[in-house]
Amino acid sequence: MLTRLFPFLDPAHVTPDLSRRLRALADDCDRLERGRPVPPVVLQKAPFLTDWVPAITPQGVHLIGRVTGHPLLGDCAAATTPLWFADPDGAWARSLSRFYKLGPPVDRDGLGRGLRRMATSSAVDGDGSEDEA
């Protein structure tokens, strides 16, 4: 029943890659819970997201924007996998797959341009996965 409404809940979608991502997320969760900061080297290597806007989907909150330095996508328009943590000062966000350094969010005038860019981009694959974004 639920998987007809939310296909991503189907256990058939569980992959070894998902297990690896969840373990890394849990390690980061432990680090943050203990009050330890995100290691500077992690943020140095993190993709940079600018002109972003949050988007709420059945899977969670995502950021859609312009990414630079993504290990798989390079520099393009992209949507993250669901977010799990965000820096209260706005410097970074942690998605299911990775940390992102955050630049400025999209301005109102740029929102329309960003949506048009996303509509014509092939950056987001069919399942919305970030590894892929």
Side-chain angles (χ1 to χ4, degrees):
M1 162 99 179
L2 280 174
T3 57
R4 279 184 287 195
L5 294 171
F6 306 103
F8 64 90
L9 291 176
D10 188 333
H13 295 287
V14 174
T15 65
D17 184 55
L18 177 61
S19 299
R20 177 191 55 78
R21 289 188 208 186
L22 290 171
R23 283 186 186 92
L25 179 65
D27 290 344
D28 289 335
C29 180
D30 285 343
R31 181 181 304 112
L32 294 169
E33 185 269 330
R34 291 186 175 119
R36 297 192 338 238
V38 179
V41 69
V42 170
L43 291 179
Q44 287 171 350
K45 294 179 180 179
F48 186 57
L49 193 63
T50 60
D51 297 327
W52 53 268
V53 62
I56 298 174
T57 73
Q59 294 173 323
V61 176
H62 304 254
L63 295 179
I64 300 170
R66 182 85 187 155
V67 68
T68 304
H70 192 283
L72 299 173
L73 300 174
D75 304 345
C76 62
T80 68
T81 52
L83 297 183
W84 284 85
F85 310 109
D87 176 32
D89 294 325
W92 56 263
R94 174 60 158 95
S95 73
L96 174 61
S97 298
R98 64 185 43 83
F99 280 94
Y100 284 88
K101 292 177 287 197
L102 297 180
V106 73
D107 60 41
R108 287 182 179 223
D109 294 333
L111 182 57
R113 289 190 306 273
L115 292 173
R116 284 189 296 279
R117 189 170 59 229
M118 285 302 298
T120 60
S121 172
S122 62
V124 180
D125 73 0
D127 71 359
S129 143
E130 173 183 305
D131 260 346
E132 320 343 287

